[in-house]
Amino acid sequence: MSKDYSALAKQIIDIIGVENIESVTHCQTRLRFVVKDAKIIDKAKLESLDLVKGVFFGSGQYQVIIGTGVVNDVYDAIEHLHVVNAIYGQETAATTTESNDEHKIKLQRFMAMLSGIFIPIIPVIAATGLFLGLQSAFTNAQVLKLFGITPAAIPASLNTVISVLTGTVFSFLPALIVWSTFRYFKGTPIVGIVIGLMLVSPSLPNAYSVAGGTAKAIMLFGKIPVIGSQGSVLTALVAGYLGCVLEHYFHKHVPNVLDQILTPFLTMLVTFAIMILGVGPIVHSIENVLVAGVEGLIHLPFGIGGFLIGAAYPLMVLVGIHQMMIAIETSLLAATKLNPLITLEAMYGFANLGVALAMIMRAKSQKAKANFIGAFSSQLFGVSEPTLFGVLIRYNFKPLIITVLTSGLGAGVLSILSVAANSYGLAVVPSYLMYIYNVRNLLIYTIVSLLTIVVAFVATNMFAIPADILKSDEPVTTDDVADNTVYAPIDGQTVALTQVNDPVFSSKMMGDGVAIKPQVTADTVKIYAPQSGTMSVVADTGHAYGLTTPEGLELLIHIGIDTVSLNGQGFKVAVKLGQAVQQGDLLGEFTPAVIKQAKLDDTVMVIITNSKQYLSIEPTSEPTVKAGTSLIAVQTATVADVQPA
């Protein structure tokens, strides 16, 4: 009996906000929300939920990492709540508001579209790859020899039945893509799948046969060549989008009494006519050029192309544009039945394993080690975000550089040896299943992937182990430390620094500390000195203050994210550079409404910029604080600590 996830589903929806959600879909590991405003979501509260492994915004979607398998059940529970648009993505003219345009760049929205269209069909393509792999393994002459038979002994009828398992998805791939495109753009899915089936109808000459010279195109009216669209991913995407636009148009203009019959009729007729009479062949030709270009890059001499792809892929994941690779991989599979691209991209996951393993082995901080173990475990099955955001960019980007270089090296070797998968959708440990169709490829892929782990492990140990994790976080006695306290500069809700929506702060590049979501009870929020000392920074724009205490503690109070762009609008400064202040003195004030109106985050960061000089920095465990109450406990080494024994 499957577990009931309705309570978790409701918690997730409540935190993100029913009115904030435009649509929700899911992939193999995460829920993907298209939201109106990601900044109003309580990320820390969301990540505190049971089974939620992490949260981040990328590819134009608010992504909640759940994990393989369970995510399907949680998505089903969300769908059964019937309170949000639980379908594979929505982004039509009707739902794309001005607000969306402001907080999603066009590229991110394009990535979200590709993700929403291709993710639903990944499982069947991955399954087909496994079918092909098993077929190759069990019909191999050497394998059959162990049983005293040869491939010729396999009945033709059995081969025919097996071909249904291995050939159906690729034979009707355009139909699946048109169906998924219709779902994404709020068309009628059954209309989409029929249009897709028309494109690959057996009544039309097969595109592969025409290309191979064994069949000829139908010459319509004696002039227009007509063939099927087998294997053309781009043609299916264009047909799906065009069909949705036409269907929406006909729904608006056809009389209601005729809508149910006439709209599907006109949609299918016009879409098929446009695609088959010229647009389809043109688009297919463009796609062939693009596929040839990608193959040319992959097969550049000396593994150069493979290195570039392998090194670029971690950076693509970081900025959220990696989803477009799914479309390219699908085109490669449709055209060649092989996918060398995912082979090169896969080295990113193995490089991450090596980096995380090195961190685990070297870490003396038990808190850091627990974080690394969690990231390593998730990465084993292809969930890379905990490693990417919790390891690679958290420690001055050196681990990320190691991943980029080792991923590129592994991919370069694989491109030289011409290794390719026969599907996609599987990563790291499960990815080996994509190579069982060919013993040579499986052996090479296994060796190179393991060597990638080893090289990343060694390089991380040599160049990228952060000093922070080499410090034990075991409690120390009061005789060995001097205590200090940083006080809250405002009232509000505490937020872990790692949850701040800015990688500079969340990765602790600026130092350790804590963030506060302001409690707004008046038009303005006053900022008070969190300690006594001298003002070392007073931004003209009023968005940042720096203070140095007599003991050498260096504090930064940063108001909001990207608020420097306001050029002081909504801010008022009450102190000057070099001025001596006491804890609790007024530093300045800001107007949250101005920040919100500019679509910016008003979270206040309190950072100890020289945090590496201290034994321990412990933010308060209280969920809310008042100005002047304890916010951060700092433990400072005494003279006795640094003198030789």
Side-chain angles (χ1 to χ4, degrees):
M1 181 180 293
S2 61
K3 185 177 177 181
D4 183 8
Y5 292 99
S6 56
L8 175 62
K10 188 176 186 307
Q11 288 176 311
I12 293 173
I13 295 301
D14 287 344
I15 293 172
I16 296 176
V18 173
E19 297 301 323
N20 192 32
I21 297 171
E22 291 187 355
S23 65
V24 56
T25 180
H26 74 90
C27 59
Q28 301 301 101
T29 59
R30 70 203 69 171
L31 300 169
R32 294 172 174 268
F33 293 88
V34 176
V35 298
K36 296 175 182 176
D37 189 355
K39 297 185 179 78
I40 68 173
I41 301 170
D42 190 335
K43 187 177 179 184
K45 189 173 182 181
L46 200 56
E47 289 190 321
S48 69
L49 296 179
D50 186 31
L51 297 181
V52 175
K53 295 179 171 61
V55 175
F56 75 102
F57 186 81
S59 301
Q61 298 170 327
Y62 199 85
Q63 303 180 25
V64 181
I65 304 165
I66 302 292
T68 305
V70 179
V71 70
N72 297 8
D73 296 328
V74 177
Y75 176 82
D76 289 341
I78 290 175
E79 191 170 23
H80 290 144
L81 292 175
H82 300 295
V83 294
V84 296
N85 233 351
I87 61 176
Y88 284 103
Q90 303 295 326
E91 197 157 313
T92 66
T95 59
T96 304
T97 64
E98 184 178 350
S99 174
N100 287 337
D101 290 335
E102 289 175 359
H103 81 273
K104 295 181 206 168
I105 62 173
K106 291 181 179 180
L107 180 59
Q108 288 178 319
R109 293 175 58 205
F110 181 68
M111 295 302 107
M113 181 197 74
L114 291 179
S115 172
I117 292 172
F118 284 99
I119 282 173
I121 65 176
I122 285 178
V124 293
I125 292 182
T128 298
L130 185 55
F131 285 139
L132 287 165
L134 292 173
Q135 178 193 34
S136 299
F138 289 109
T139 58
N140 182 275
Q142 298 302 317
V143 174
L144 293 175
K145 188 176 181 181
L146 299 175
F147 300 95
I149 57 176
T150 64
I154 300 175
S157 57
L158 179 59
N159 281 327
T160 300
V161 171
I162 292 174
S163 70
V164 175
L165 290 172
T166 59
T168 299
V169 166
F170 290 115
S171 296
F172 297 99
L173 183 60
L176 299 180
I177 294 173
V178 178
W179 160 79
S180 190
T181 306
F182 261 71
R183 288 194 63 165
Y184 185 86
F185 287 107
K186 296 178 71 175
T188 304
I190 190 63
V191 174
I193 201 167
V194 171
I195 292 173
L197 290 171
M198 289 178 176
L199 295 177
V200 292
S201 171
S203 299
L204 297 175
N206 187 288
Y208 296 122
S209 300
V210 172
T214 58
K216 292 184 178 180
I218 297 174
M219 300 304 295
L220 192 63
F221 307 123
K223 296 180 179 180
I224 304 173
V226 175
I227 63 173
S229 299
Q230 287 82 3
S232 180
V233 173
L234 195 55
T235 299
L237 283 172
V238 173
Y241 177 74
L242 176 63
C244 283
V245 171
L246 289 171
E247 186 183 30
H248 291 310
Y249 176 82
F250 291 133
H251 272 310
K252 292 179 180 179
H253 294 86
V254 170
N256 290 338
V257 69
L258 299 174
D259 184 58
Q260 188 173 2
I261 295 176
L262 199 54
T263 292
F265 169 78
L266 291 173
T267 300
M268 290 188 289
L269 174 63
V270 177
T271 303
F272 179 72
I274 291 174
M275 297 306 300
I276 214 71
L277 295 179
V279 173
I282 293 172
V283 171
H284 197 178
S285 299
I286 295 172
E287 181 179 19
N288 288 338
V289 172
L290 294 175
V291 170
V294 172
E295 288 187 304
L297 174 62
I298 292 172
H299 296 108
L300 284 176
F302 311 113
I304 294 173
F307 176 84
L308 293 175
I309 293 171
Y313 192 70
L315 304 177
M316 294 174 71
V317 176
L318 181 62
V319 299
I321 63 172
H322 60 296
Q323 295 294 347
M324 70 177 182
M325 307 304 283
I326 300 176
I328 300 172
E329 291 170 27
T330 306
S331 293
L332 284 170
L333 281 168
T336 68
K337 299 298 185 293
L338 291 175
N339 182 5
L341 195 54
I342 197 172
T343 302
L344 309 180
E345 297 163 354
M347 294 303 102
Y348 156 64
F350 291 102
N352 277 353
L353 285 180
V355 172
L357 185 60
M359 297 287 192
I360 292 170
M361 300 296 290
R362 294 288 299 278
K364 293 183 180 179
S365 166
Q366 295 305 308
K367 291 181 181 179
K369 181 170 289 191
N371 176 49
F372 300 148
I373 291 174
F376 180 86
S377 302
S378 298
Q379 186 65 74
L380 283 172
F381 298 95
V383 181
S384 66
E385 284 75 23
T387 309
L388 178 61
F389 294 101
V391 180
L392 299 189
I393 67 172
R394 183 172 179 176
Y395 298 102
N396 296 323
F397 289 89
K398 287 184 179 180
L400 177 62
I401 295 171
I402 298 297
T403 285
V404 167
L405 294 177
T406 53
S407 175
L409 287 172
V413 173
L414 289 170
S415 66
I416 291 173
L417 299 174
S418 301
V419 177
N422 71 345
S423 67
Y424 59 46
L426 303 175
V428 195
V429 173
S431 70
Y432 294 104
L433 295 173
M434 298 189 296
Y435 303 88
I436 61 174
Y437 77 98
N438 183 289
V439 175
R440 171 192 176 274
N441 282 357
L442 176 61
L443 183 61
I444 293 174
Y445 181 80
T446 301
I447 293 173
V448 174
S449 63
L450 294 178
L451 286 175
T452 299
I453 296 175
V454 171
V455 172
F457 176 85
V458 173
T460 302
N461 270 291
M462 293 177 64
F463 305 111
I465 297 295
D468 294 1
I469 72 170
L470 299 178
K471 298 177 182 178
S472 174
D473 51 14
E474 295 178 1
V476 291
T477 65
T478 56
D479 292 336
D480 296 327
V481 298
D483 293 329
N484 208 344
T485 301
V486 176
Y487 299 92
I490 62 170
D491 299 345
Q493 180 183 2
T494 57
V495 179
L497 199 59
T498 54
Q499 308 307 317
V500 171
N501 292 317
D502 187 314
V504 174
F505 294 116
S506 61
S507 64
K508 301 187 179 181
M509 291 174 60
M510 297 292 294
D512 206 345
V514 69
I516 305 174
K517 194 69 176 175
Q519 178 183 341
V520 181
T521 57
D523 291 340
T524 60
V525 174
K526 297 184 183 299
I527 302 288
Y528 299 100
Q531 255 286 358
S532 299
T534 303
M535 300 304 301
S536 55
V537 174
V538 178
D540 293 338
T541 54
H543 77 287
Y545 299 91
L547 184 151
T548 303
T549 71
E551 293 80 17
L553 186 68
E554 298 175 2
L555 295 170
L556 173 68
I557 304 94
H558 195 285
I559 305 163
I561 296 172
D562 295 330
T563 46
V564 66
S565 62
L566 295 175
N567 293 318
Q569 183 182 359
F571 293 87
K572 184 177 180 181
V573 178
V575 292
K576 297 179 180 179
L577 186 65
Q579 180 178 332
V581 296
Q582 298 297 313
Q583 186 269 314
D585 285 353
L586 180 67
L587 301 182
E589 58 187 54
F590 67 94
T591 306
V594 174
I595 297 175
K596 291 292 186 181
Q597 188 177 6
K599 306 295 183 184
L600 298 174
D601 191 331
D602 64 355
T603 302
V604 175
M605 277 64 67
V606 182
I607 310 292
I608 299 171
T609 55
N610 60 341
S611 54
K612 292 184 179 181
Q613 298 180 15
Y614 297 92
L615 293 177
S616 176
I617 295 172
E618 295 291 338
T620 180
S621 59
E622 294 295 327
T624 59
V625 291
K626 291 287 187 182
T629 60
S630 177
L631 182 66
I632 306 173
V634 183
Q635 293 182 327
T636 312
T638 62
V639 176
D641 249 348
V642 297
Q643 288 179 343

